[in-house]
Amino acid sequence: MVNKQAVKKTMTKNKSAEIVPAIDCTTDQMQQAILDRLHKTLATEESKANNKAWWNATCYAVNELLFEKLTDTQKSHSGQDTRAVNYLSLEFLMGRLLSNNLHNLELFNVAQDALKGLGKDLYEICEEEPDMALGNGGLGRLAACFIDSLATLGYPAIGYGIHYENGLFAQSFQDGRQIERPDTWREYGNPWEICRPESIQHVPLYGYVETVIDENGVSHKVWHAGQKLKGVPWDVPIVGYGAKTVNILRLWESRADEAFDWDVFNAGGYVDAQVEKSKAETISKVLYPNDSTDEGKELRLIQQYFFCACSVKDILRRFRRAGNDWPILAEKVAIQLNDTHPTIAIPELMRILVDEERLEWDFAWSLCEKIFAYTNHTLLPEALEKWSVALFEKVLPRHLEIIYEINRRFLETVEQKWPGDNDIKAKLSIVEEGPQRMVRMANLCVVTAHKVNGVAAVHSELVKTDLFPEFNELYPTKLINVTNGITPRRWLKACNPALAELYDETVGKDWVVNLDKLKDALPKATDTAFQKRFMDIKRDNKVELVNIIKDLTGVEVSADAIFDIQIKRLHEYKRQQLNLIHILTLYKRLLENPDYDMVPRVFLFGAKAAPGYHMAKQIIYALNKVAEKVNNDKRIKDKLKIVFLPNYRVSLAEKMFPAADISEQISTAGLEASGTGNMKFALNGALTVGTMDGANIEMAEEIGAEHMFIFGLSVAEVKELKTVGYNPYDYYYNNPELKAVLDWLDSDFFTPGQPGALSDIKRSLLEYGDEYLCLADYASYCKAHDAIDTTYRNKALWAEKAIRNSAAMGKFNSDRSIEDYVANVWHLKKYPLA
C-alpha cells in the first residue's frame, strides 16, 4: 500500500510553499486497505459491519502507514544516538486520533473519498471513537499539543504517562448535580496502542532501608521492598505533520508482580487469590484518585511514583542499550517535569545512580541538575504539591533519605548566601517543619532543575517575584518564561475545516506549519466579501453546535444568538460563579422589562468538578438549576438560554471552539498561569472577554486590546486591594442590582420547595470572603458584556474583530513554544526522516 520512496519535497509555484502529501496513497489503495482490515483483522464483511467496525478497520489501515514511519523514526534515532527529551506528565489529553492522524498524514481527503466509495461517511465514522481518557484540563491538553509539535518539528522525544483504565470520570447530571461514572474508554481495546511486554519495569514499594558494607569496606544503602508492582508499557504513535517523524507516547499500566496465587486458589480462596492483582491494578485505574482520605493520599503518591519509576528505568534502559556510559548521560537525556506530579523522578534517578550503579553522590547530582527541567503551571498554594514525611517514610523510605540529603546540602548553599537567616532557610527548605512535617515538591524541583519555566510572561514574572523570589535571587538565570501554545493542526485544520480551507486560499497551505502566515490575511479584515465568507463559516459551525446541544440536552437554541462559551476546569479562581451572577443580572432585567433590548444570548458551559471539591459541584448545580428556570420561562422570549453540556472532553471542545462568538477568560488576575482555551477560541474567530491575566495579556499585544473586551482589576490592583483589605460586603451593599441577584440565591425561586439550596454560592462570595474577588470585578464585567451587545449589532465591525483575533494568533503556536524550549532548555537537534 505504501510507496516509501514517494516522499515529495516539491514546491508549488504559488506565492508560498504548499504542503503536499508525504505519503503516496491513492483512494483505491486506502479503500482496499480498509476492506482488508475489515475482512482479515476484524473477521467481518461489509453488510454486517456497523460504524464501530468501520472505525476500527480504518484505524488499522492508517496504522499500516503509521507503524512503518514509526519504525523508520526509531531506526533513525537509534542509529544517530540522538539526544531526546522525555516529557513526563500525569496527563495527556489526546482526544480522538483518527481525524488528527489522517490530517497529519495529509490523507484526510483520501480516506474520506475511500469511505464514500464504500457508502460510508468519514465524519460519522470518526464519531465512533472514544476520547482517550488520559487527562482532565489544560495541563494534559498542553502536553498533547507539545508532543504533536515535537514530532512535527522532527525532534526526538518520548511522552511518558499513565495508561489509565478509566481516566478522570464520565460526567452526567441528575437533578442538576454532577454524577461521576467510570469512563471506560478502552473497554474493547484501542487500535492506536501497542503493548510492549519486552520493556516491562518492576517497581518496589514500602519495606525498609539497610546500610551494607561491601567487600572494600565502603558502605551503601539497600532498599528491601515490601511489595513490587509491574509496569506494562503501551505505546501510542504520535505522528508529526507531514509524517517526517513519528514519536511515541509511552503509557504505564500497573499490574501485580505475581498476579495470581495458585496455592490460595486451590485452598478455596477463589477471591483472595486475586487480591494482589486487584490492588496493583488500582494504581492505574483512575486519574487523580480522591485524596481527601489518608488512603487516597497514599494511592495518589504511589501512582505518581509508579509512573516516574517506570519512566526513569525505561529512559536509563534505552540509554544503556545504545552502549553509552554514565559520564554522557546528561548529553543524551533531557527530562521535562510537567508540573510537580513527576517530581519523585528526581530522587528515583539519584537512588538508581547512587545505590544501584554506585556512583559518587556529587557526580550523580551533577547529572540530575543537567537532566531535569521543571514547568510550573500554577501560583495557587494548594496546587503546589506537598506530601507528609510520615507517608514518604512508609511508602518510599529510601527516597525520603535521599530528599533529606539533597536538602541538607542545599541548606548549606542557603547558609552561604544568607548566613544565619533561619527564616529564609525555613521558607526555602524542601522539608517544611510544622505540626506535620511535609515534603515540598515544588521546592525540590527548583533546587534540582537547571531551568524552571512559567507558561506566560506575566505568570513567569509572578513566579520570580511572588512565588519563588528567594530562589530567583539564589539562582538568577534559572527561572525563565516559555509562553504556551496550541497545535493548529488539531485546533484549526482538523476541527474547523471550512475556515482552514479559507486560509489555504488566502495565505497558502503552509500556514499549518507556520502559523505566522495567517497575518497575511489581516488586510482582508475589512474586506466585505472576506468578512461574509468568514462569518458564514462561523454560522455553519453554530448550526452544527445547535444540533449537538439539542441531542445532548434537549434544549433548543438559535444560531442567530451570541454564543458565549466558558469551557475549562471547574475551579473558583476561573470564576464560573461570576459568569453565573451576570447571567442572573440579565435574567432579572428581562423579568423586570420583557422588552429589555438585548441581543439574544446563549451561555454555554463545559467543565468537570473534582469529586471532592464541594464548591465546584455547587457551582455546577446552581448553573443547571438556573438553566432549568430560564430556558423554560416564556416571559423572556428566548432572549436568554443557558446550557451546561455534560461530559466535557476534547471531541466536544472541537465542536465548541469553532462555534463560539465570545470566549470567557475571566480568572482573577494573577492566578491563571496561561490558558490555552483562550488561544483556541481566538484562532477560530471568537472574541475574548477577559481579565489581563495569563496569556490574555500577550494576546492583547498581538491582536490589539481594542479587539477584545478587557475588564476587571489588574495583577497590581488585585495585590493592592488585598493589601489594604477587601470587604465584599462593600460591593454588595453599594450595588442594588448585585445585592438583588445574590439574595435571589437564598430563595427557592430556582429550587422550588428548597429555599437556600443555592446559598453556598452567596456565602462563598460574602461570608467566606470572596477569595477570588468576583464582586470587585462584577460591575466592570457587566460593562464589558454591555459592550459585547453593542458591538455585535454592528455586523461588519464584529466580523473585522473576529478576523483580527484569528489571523493574529501566530505567536500562540505550540511549534513556537517547542522551539523556545529547544533553544533555552533542551538543546535538541532535528532528525526528520528524509
Side-chain angles (χ1 to χ4, degrees):
M1 174 179 172
V2 180
N3 180 355
K4 292 177 65 177
Q5 306 304 316
V7 178
K8 302 175 183 177
K9 300 179 182 178
T10 58
M11 303 279 284
T12 69
K13 297 179 181 178
N14 291 352
K15 61 183 176 181
S16 62
E18 298 289 343
I19 303 296
V20 294
I23 295 174
D24 185 10
C25 175
T26 67
T27 299
D28 289 343
Q29 288 172 323
M30 177 64 77
Q31 193 174 87
Q32 188 58 52
I34 293 170
L35 288 173
D36 283 348
R37 300 286 65 78
L38 194 69
H39 301 158
K40 299 175 182 177
T41 303
L42 301 175
T44 189
E45 49 93 12
E46 296 88 316
S47 64
K48 294 181 180 179
N50 60 12
N51 277 354
K52 179 67 79 173
W54 283 106
W55 169 71
N56 270 295
T58 306
C59 292
Y60 287 127
V62 173
N63 279 345
E64 290 186 23
L65 305 169
L66 279 186
F67 291 169
E68 191 164 14
K69 287 288 185 179
L70 173 60
T71 303
D72 291 344
T73 299
Q74 291 179 330
K75 282 181 182 176
S76 171
H77 291 174
S78 176
Q80 298 179 79
D81 194 17
T82 59
R83 174 177 170 84
V85 62
N86 302 273
Y87 198 85
L88 273 61
S89 179
L90 208 58
E91 295 186 40
F92 286 91
L93 198 57
M94 300 301 296
R96 296 168 173 170
L97 289 185
L98 177 55
S99 172
N100 190 76
N101 286 344
L102 284 170
H103 279 291
N104 279 6
L105 291 166
E106 299 164 279
L107 291 174
F108 189 88
N109 291 338
V110 170
Q112 189 173 30
D113 291 342
L115 284 163
K116 186 177 180 180
L118 295 167
K120 296 294 171 184
D121 182 279
L122 176 55
Y123 288 100
E124 289 184 9
I125 298 301
C126 288
E127 289 299 314
E128 292 295 323
E129 182 169 4
D131 284 48
M132 298 178 73
L134 303 174
N136 174 33
L139 180 83
R141 188 50 237 172
L142 181 76
C145 284
F146 278 3
I147 59 175
D148 172 278
S149 285
L150 280 161
T152 295
L153 294 167
Y155 289 115
I158 294 183
Y160 281 105
I162 294 181
H163 191 265
Y164 300 108
E165 182 179 335
N166 293 306
L168 190 68
F169 55 83
Q171 178 196 56
S172 60
F173 301 125
Q174 185 173 316
D175 189 30
R177 297 192 183 277
Q178 173 177 288
I179 302 297
E180 299 111 22
R181 294 286 181 264
D183 186 358
T184 52
W185 66 279
R186 61 179 305 277
E187 185 175 7
Y188 303 109
N190 173 17
W192 300 116
E193 61 188 18
I194 313 158
C195 188
R196 300 291 195 189
E198 68 275 15
S199 299
I200 282 172
Q201 298 297 340
H202 297 274
V203 178
L205 292 168
Y206 304 110
Y208 65 96
V209 180
E210 181 184 12
T211 301
V212 175
I213 308 297
D214 66 16
E215 62 276 9
N216 298 316
V218 178
S219 67
H220 66 281
K221 299 284 188 174
V222 176
W223 178 17
H224 298 280
Q227 180 184 341
K228 283 192 177 180
L229 301 173
K230 183 163 63 177
V232 179
W234 294 82
D235 287 356
V236 178
I238 305 298
V239 57
Y241 192 78
K244 294 181 175 60
T245 297
V246 179
N247 290 322
I248 63 166
L249 169 61
R250 177 156 287 185
L251 304 169
W252 298 100
E253 177 189 356
S254 61
R255 297 186 186 176
D257 206 37
E258 294 291 336
F260 188 79
D261 192 320
W262 272 107
D263 293 335
V264 171
F265 184 84
N266 288 332
Y270 305 123
V271 175
D272 292 343
Q274 298 194 71
V275 166
E276 289 304 313
K277 176 177 183 292
S278 298
K279 284 183 181 178
E281 289 176 357
T282 301
I283 308 304
S284 59
K285 185 74 72 175
V286 298
L287 169 66
Y288 300 141
N290 188 343
D291 61 357
S292 59
T293 64
D294 289 341
E295 292 80 3
K297 288 181 174 66
E298 184 171 331
L299 176 59
R300 193 157 170 175
L301 178 61
I302 291 172
Q303 185 183 71
Q304 291 184 7
Y305 175 62
F306 164 77
F307 137 64
C308 290
C310 288
S311 302
V312 168
K313 289 170 180 283
D314 194 60
I315 291 165
L316 296 181
R317 176 190 62 81
R318 289 186 291 108
F319 171 77
R320 294 310 296 263
R321 186 181 63 188
N324 296 314
D325 208 350
W326 300 118
I328 64 167
L329 179 64
E331 296 174 25
K332 298 299 180 182
V333 172
I335 299 177
Q336 188 70 31
L337 306 177
N338 191 30
D339 215 347
T340 53
H341 310 126
T343 306
I344 198 66
I346 295 169
E348 173 66 5
L349 179 57
M350 282 297 292
R351 184 189 69 81
I352 292 172
L353 295 179
V354 173
D355 293 358
E356 296 182 7
E357 299 300 330
R358 307 291 297 279
L359 301 183
E360 292 293 329
W361 178 280
D362 288 343
F363 177 53
W365 181 247
S366 72
L367 293 175
C368 283
E369 288 180 305
K370 294 170 188 169
I371 288 167
F372 285 105
Y374 159 57
T375 299
N376 173 275
H377 284 279
T378 184
L379 302 172
L380 296 173
E382 69 266 25
L384 296 171
E385 288 186 310
K386 295 190 289 188
W387 297 103
S388 75
V389 165
L391 180 59
F392 248 99
E393 193 168 34
K394 175 185 178 183
V395 178
L396 301 170
R398 178 56 182 146
H399 295 76
L400 181 61
E401 292 182 350
I402 290 169
I403 289 169
Y404 280 155
E405 180 62 14
I406 293 171
N407 197 43
R408 183 188 68 78
R409 291 169 180 247
F410 166 66
L411 291 179
E412 289 177 356
T413 303
V414 176
E415 173 64 24
Q416 292 172 10
K417 176 73 173 177
W418 294 285
D421 194 330
N422 290 329
D423 288 341
I424 283 188
K425 284 182 184 175
K427 185 175 181 182
L428 299 189
S429 174
I430 297 169
V431 180
E432 177 183 87
E433 304 296 336
Q436 185 178 38
R437 301 175 74 223
M438 306 292 287
V439 178
R440 297 163 165 159
M441 305 307 269
N443 289 33
L444 177 56
C445 284
V446 179
V447 168
T448 309
H450 65 281
K451 291 295 179 185
V452 174
N453 73 279
V455 289
V458 66
H459 170 243
S460 296
E461 190 58 31
L462 290 171
V463 168
K464 290 180 181 181
T465 59
D466 291 16
L467 186 62
F468 298 134
E470 294 84 5
F471 279 120
N472 188 46
E473 189 175 346
L474 188 61
Y475 306 119
T477 63
K478 183 176 285 195
L479 276 61
I480 64 171
N481 176 59
V482 179
T483 297
N484 283 345
I486 59 174
T487 168
R489 271 78 64 180
R490 181 182 287 269
W491 296 113
L492 180 52
K493 186 173 179 63
C495 77
N496 199 345
L499 183 56
E501 287 176 17
L502 179 59
Y503 279 132
D504 287 350
E505 294 174 25
T506 308
V507 304
K509 293 184 178 180
D510 61 331
W511 63 264
V512 77
V513 289
N514 181 11
L515 199 59
D516 281 325
K517 292 279 295 184
L518 294 191
K519 289 182 180 176
D520 292 346
L522 284 173
K524 297 276 191 180
T526 55
D527 179 87
T528 304
F530 190 83
Q531 286 183 349
K532 184 178 187 311
R533 291 188 65 187
F534 192 96
M535 296 310 294
D536 283 349
I537 291 167
K538 174 65 70 176
R539 194 180 190 285
D540 288 344
N541 291 331
K542 290 171 73 173
V543 168
E544 183 178 357
L545 185 57
V546 165
N547 294 327
I548 291 170
I549 292 168
K550 173 70 172 172
D551 289 344
L552 291 179
T553 69
V555 178
E556 295 183 356
V557 301
S558 170
D560 295 319
I562 297 173
F563 277 23
D564 185 313
I565 303 183
Q566 187 174 13
I567 42 177
K568 47 183 74 243
R569 182 167 54 92
L570 207 308
H571 194 289
E572 287 169 277
Y573 89 84
K574 301 202 185 261
R575 300 204 295 190
Q576 285 94 343
Q577 67 273 36
L578 175 59
N579 197 341
L580 168 64
I581 59 176
H582 170 250
I583 292 169
L584 290 173
T585 302
L586 291 179
Y587 185 40
K588 187 172 185 299
R589 291 174 186 174
L590 286 166
L591 291 180
E592 290 175 350
N593 177 14
D595 295 321
Y596 175 70
D597 185 21
M598 65 173 278
V599 178
R601 188 82 69 99
V602 177
F603 288 93
L604 292 159
F605 294 86
K608 292 180 180 179
Y613 190 171
H614 170 76
M615 189 53 67
K617 287 188 162 185
Q618 284 299 102
I619 292 169
I620 289 178
Y621 177 62
L623 283 163
N624 279 327
K625 298 311 285 186
V626 171
E628 281 179 29
K629 187 74 172 182
V630 169
N631 295 344
N632 294 294
D633 194 331
K634 303 299 183 185
R635 296 172 291 177
I636 63 173
K637 304 172 185 175
D638 288 335
K639 287 185 178 179
L640 185 61
K641 290 289 182 80
I642 309 161
V643 181
F644 204 123
L645 289 167
N647 203 32
Y648 177 62
R649 58 201 183 279
V650 172
S651 57
L652 189 53
E654 289 170 345
K655 304 299 184 184
M656 298 177 80
F657 286 120
D661 294 307
I662 287 294
S663 158
E664 295 271 353
Q665 308 298 328
I666 61 176
S667 53
T668 312
L671 294 184
E672 184 71 87
S674 170
T676 55
N678 46 4
M679 303 169 189
K680 294 161 196 164
F681 276 120
L683 183 60
N684 283 279
L687 276 61
T688 301
V689 55
T691 51
M692 290 299 273
D693 191 29
N696 289 353
I697 297 172
E698 290 162 81
M699 286 171 56
E701 292 170 356
E702 297 293 312
I703 297 165
E706 68 274 18
H707 301 301
M708 301 167 69
F709 300 97
I710 302 299
F711 77 94
L713 300 171
S714 67
V715 173
E717 289 167 339
V718 166
K719 288 182 181 178
E720 183 181 355
L721 180 59
K722 290 195 170 184
T723 299
V724 300
Y726 171 59
N727 183 0
Y729 281 98
D730 292 342
Y731 297 87
Y732 173 71
Y733 286 119
N734 290 327
N735 189 325
E737 195 168 46
L738 173 60
K739 183 178 185 302
V741 297
L742 289 179
D743 290 347
W744 218 354
L745 295 171
D746 285 331
S747 72
D748 68 347
F749 186 79
F750 300 103
T751 54
Q754 300 178 68
L758 306 184
S759 291
D760 273 354
I761 308 298
K762 179 181 175 181
R763 280 193 286 269
S764 74
L765 298 173
L766 291 172
E767 295 174 30
Y768 306 155
D770 188 19
E771 180 180 357
Y772 301 108
L773 309 182
C774 291
L775 303 195
D777 278 349
Y778 167 80
S780 177
Y781 183 57
C782 289
K783 258 186 207 178
H785 275 281
D786 291 342
I788 290 169
D789 189 278
T790 300
T791 307
Y792 193 78
R793 297 168 193 262
N794 185 335
K795 297 301 182 185
L797 180 60
W798 189 275
E800 177 190 347
K801 291 179 180 294
I803 294 164
R804 290 190 182 281
N805 270 263
S806 178
M809 291 302 292
K811 174 181 178 178
F812 304 100
N813 183 354
S814 53
D815 296 351
R816 190 269 317 146
S817 300
I818 291 302
E819 293 290 17
D820 286 354
Y821 275 107
V822 168
N824 300 318
V825 183
W826 302 331
H827 309 296
L828 307 177
K829 291 182 181 178
K830 295 182 180 181
Y831 295 92
L833 298 176

